[in-house]
Amino acid sequence: MAKKEVDVVVIGGGPGGYVCAIRLGQLKQKVICVEKDEVGGVCLNWGCVPSKALISASHNYEKAKDSAHMGLIADNVRVDVAKMQEWKSGIVKKLTGGIRGLFRGNGVELVMGNARVTSPTSVEVTLKDGTVDTIVAKNVVIATGSSTIEIPTFKFDGKQIIGAKEAVSLQEVPKRMLVIGGGVIGLELGCVYQKFGSEIVVVEATAGLLPGVDADITAVVEKKLVKHGAKIMKNAKAAGYEKNADGSVTVKIDVGGGKIESVVTDVVLVAVGMRPNGAGLGLEEIGVKVERGFVPTDKVGRTNVPTVWAIGDVSGVPMLAHKASKEGEVAAEVMAGHRAEKDWVAIPGAIFTDPEVAVVGLTETQAEEKGMNVKIGKFPFAALGRAMAVNETDGFFKVVSDAESHKVLGVHIVGPSATDLISEGALALEMHAFLEDIGLTIHPHPTLGEGMMEASMHGLGHAIHVLNR
Ligand code: NAI
């Protein structure tokens, strides 16, 4: 049983934990990061990164098949799933290898094992070979992330009843896929398999897809899914399933009013959310507050026990990699004696459906609910030459601003490259920008970014390439 002494031990090597550890290393702190699976966490290993690889492959496949109107004829375009998976795994390997390299370069020690907190300043790690190490640290950071929620009546079997982890590693394209949960994961992966040819059914418990996103925005995504043959069942709950003799699965869906509908499918993807991994780490035993699996913190990331910190999914919503990384940096700065705080104006969200969705700040409805008088500027992608040239014209920009001061309150984009374009909106909010700041900035032509300028000008009543009210 080895004993190590450090300034900080970080439990979890996902986008929260690894960023925190690297920043601590940069700030000359002696730091150990403990990881039980693979550095990079859910995000790099089976979440954000692998899913985006498959999403981009599915777009390329669709474009290769459907570009005859541009004069591009590609016959017999096929999907080689094994090759695609190999390519995807190569990306993951490069990125996780990169983190290990950054750890080495910044003096971060990586310990592979399962950690448990034994006091406000010590952690026990069960290593892969079963031996137990003790790490004594001035500060302990909990960065254990979140896990997929399972529905009791749909226990994962790894083949036909699956979660996102299995869905990014399927070895063949299913003929039919039923997705339970019309949230981020369900729609991103639903879009992927729809492009590869699966017939998609989405079963969503609430009245709308993508909870929390502006309804005008989700309508664009829903329309495209349906146009390509998806069946969207809203206010519906999957109640149970039976396996059939031919290998298919019949899913019973409670559509309300005492009615049950049956859908026959090949694969059921369960994507009903993630739950925080705050329990079972020994935290309650040492007096750290854990609420429904979350570990609450203050503005710098400290829990109610001053030497214990929490960052990322385990510390609260939204469960997003970039929020985790930022919290990791803030906590690292403070632990190293600098001033920092979780003082951002807004956290952008990026959803890789087709078309993409990206949001930052208040929606029109949220602003109105706060009693604000808002001005809306809108601009369609269809009015941008560049959008026509890239053959993706669905969607629009929507800039929500204060009607009197013109201060930008929120930016909501659905359309091509929305996830890249949103950073301008995030910067606008952080800089407390006004419509004039965006609208009077020269945006290069011909680019998709012109839509931000035009939507802001539309809010001011003088967009050029669309009629103003
Ligand atoms: P989610 O919370 O986005 O969506 C879950 C959906 O399932 C909701 O619409 C909910 O109403 C529905 N639902 C819940 N129980 C149901 C039931 N029994 N039957 C039918 N529908 C039901 O969760 P999701 O998609 O699993 O994603 C998990 C987390 O991962 C999210 O917190 C998200 O922030 C994060 N994520 C973010 C991504 C991104 O930013 N691009 C990509 C993937 C995940």
Side-chain angles (χ1 to χ4, degrees):
M1 184 166 169
K3 186 173 168 183
K4 297 176 174 175
E5 279 188 37
V6 291
D7 293 313
V8 185
V9 57
V10 180
I11 304 177
Y18 87 72
V19 169
C20 184
I22 289 173
R23 186 72 191 117
L24 285 162
Q26 289 173 347
L27 294 166
K28 306 291 172 233
Q29 301 291 295
K30 195 167 181 215
V31 53
I32 288 180
C33 180
V34 185
E35 170 56 54
K36 67 179 166 61
D37 293 326
E38 178 54 274
V39 285
V42 167
C43 172
L44 259 69
N45 291 289
W46 59 265
C48 324
V49 170
S51 66
K52 262 81 265 178
L54 297 187
I55 287 164
S56 111
S58 72
H59 277 275
N60 286 352
Y61 175 65
E62 186 178 57
K63 287 198 177 220
K65 280 193 316 169
D66 303 335
S67 294
H69 63 286
M70 289 181 183
L72 300 175
I73 321 287
D75 295 323
N76 204 14
V77 181
R78 284 152 302 146
V79 185
D80 178 342
V81 180
K83 183 84 196 154
M84 184 165 67
Q85 284 293 336
E86 191 188 312
W87 168 71
K88 178 211 80 179
S89 301
I91 296 172
V92 172
K93 215 167 153 201
K94 252 183 233 154
L95 286 169
T96 53
I99 294 173
R100 285 169 181 267
L102 287 169
F103 273 5
R104 281 191 296 274
N106 286 291
V108 176
E109 185 184 345
L110 175 63
V111 171
M112 298 305 291
N114 210 329
R116 197 180 154 76
V117 181
T118 44
S119 86
T121 51
S122 64
V123 165
E124 250 178 33
V125 184
T126 308
L127 305 178
K128 298 272 165 192
D129 63 5
T131 56
V132 178
D133 273 4
T134 297
I135 303 168
V136 175
K138 291 181 193 134
N139 288 293
V140 177
V141 180
I142 311 299
T144 47
S146 59
S147 306
T148 305
I149 294 177
E150 239 181 301
I151 306 178
T153 44
F154 287 85
K155 283 257 168 254
F156 294 142
D157 66 9
K159 289 196 173 81
Q160 281 185 293
I161 313 296
I162 60 171
K165 188 173 187 173
E166 293 78 26
V168 295
S169 298
L170 289 182
Q171 293 306 312
E172 58 184 89
V173 174
K175 189 166 171 293
R176 295 162 294 195
M177 179 183 269
L178 182 136
V179 180
I180 306 179
V184 184
I185 294 180
L187 294 197
E188 285 189 357
L189 294 175
C191 284
V192 166
Y193 285 102
Q194 183 178 59
K195 287 189 192 306
F196 286 138
S198 305
E199 288 165 29
I200 301 292
V201 176
V202 178
V203 178
E204 165 56 42
T206 67
L209 301 176
L210 299 176
V213 176
D214 182 316
D216 291 350
I217 298 258
T218 54
V220 178
V221 177
E222 183 173 346
K223 194 171 161 197
K224 191 149 186 186
L225 272 165
V226 171
K227 188 174 153 196
H228 287 91
K231 180 174 176 182
I232 313 281
M233 303 173 77
K234 290 185 265 186
N235 294 311
K237 273 194 166 174
Y241 73 95
E242 280 165 19
K243 287 198 176 177
N244 304 319
D246 65 357
S248 63
V249 173
T250 300
V251 180
K252 302 264 180 243
I253 298 151
D254 180 348
V255 291
K259 274 185 22 194
I260 300 282
E261 278 184 29
S262 293
V263 174
V264 180
T265 190
D266 299 304
V267 168
V268 178
L269 166 61
V270 181
V272 295
M274 305 280 281
R275 65 178 154 69
N277 294 334
L281 296 164
L283 291 171
E284 290 104 324
E285 290 86 332
I286 62 157
V288 176
K289 225 184 264 165
V290 180
E291 292 171 358
R292 290 167 294 108
F294 285 111
V295 183
T297 71
D298 63 9
K299 282 283 230 182
V300 294
R302 210 184 244 121
T303 69
N304 61 308
V305 173
T307 55
V308 181
W309 304 66
I311 57 173
D313 289 6
V314 77
S315 75
V317 293
M319 292 187 180
L320 296 172
H322 42 279
K323 174 243 185 201
S325 299
K326 190 73 195 167
E327 287 180 342
E329 283 182 68
V330 168
E333 299 278 343
V334 179
M335 284 184 276
H338 297 271
R339 277 187 63 175
E341 205 175 79
K342 296 194 246 177
D343 60 355
W344 48 77
V345 175
I347 300 168
I351 307 173
F352 296 78
T353 41
D354 181 17
E356 291 183 355
V357 168
V359 298
V360 67
L362 298 178
T363 63
E364 183 178 356
T365 314
Q366 285 166 345
E368 282 167 357
E369 278 167 4
K370 283 178 181 276
M372 293 168 140
N373 185 13
V374 297
K375 200 184 256 299
I376 303 297
K378 256 180 124 171
F379 193 80
F381 277 89
L384 291 170
R386 182 69 198 279
M388 281 183 222
V390 297
N391 197 33
E392 290 186 47
T393 50
D394 287 340
F396 56 84
F397 295 76
K398 183 170 180 178
V399 179
V400 182
S401 63
D402 179 77
E404 262 167 55
S405 67
H406 302 169
K407 187 173 174 189
V408 178
L409 304 171
V411 176
H412 307 268
I413 310 174
V414 56
S417 301
T419 58
D420 288 311
L421 294 164
I422 200 64
S423 294
E424 182 177 359
L427 181 66
L429 287 178
E430 292 301 330
M431 303 285 292
H432 302 280
F434 297 86
L435 290 178
E436 289 83 349
D437 293 315
I438 305 176
L440 296 175
T441 297
I442 299 175
H443 286 61
H445 178 74
T447 63
L448 298 174
E450 288 173 276
M452 274 295 290
M453 172 179 74
E454 291 270 22
S456 302
M457 282 309 212
H458 185 245
L460 294 169
H462 50 99
I464 297 295
H465 295 93
V466 73
L467 293 179
N468 298 284
R469 282 150 300 178

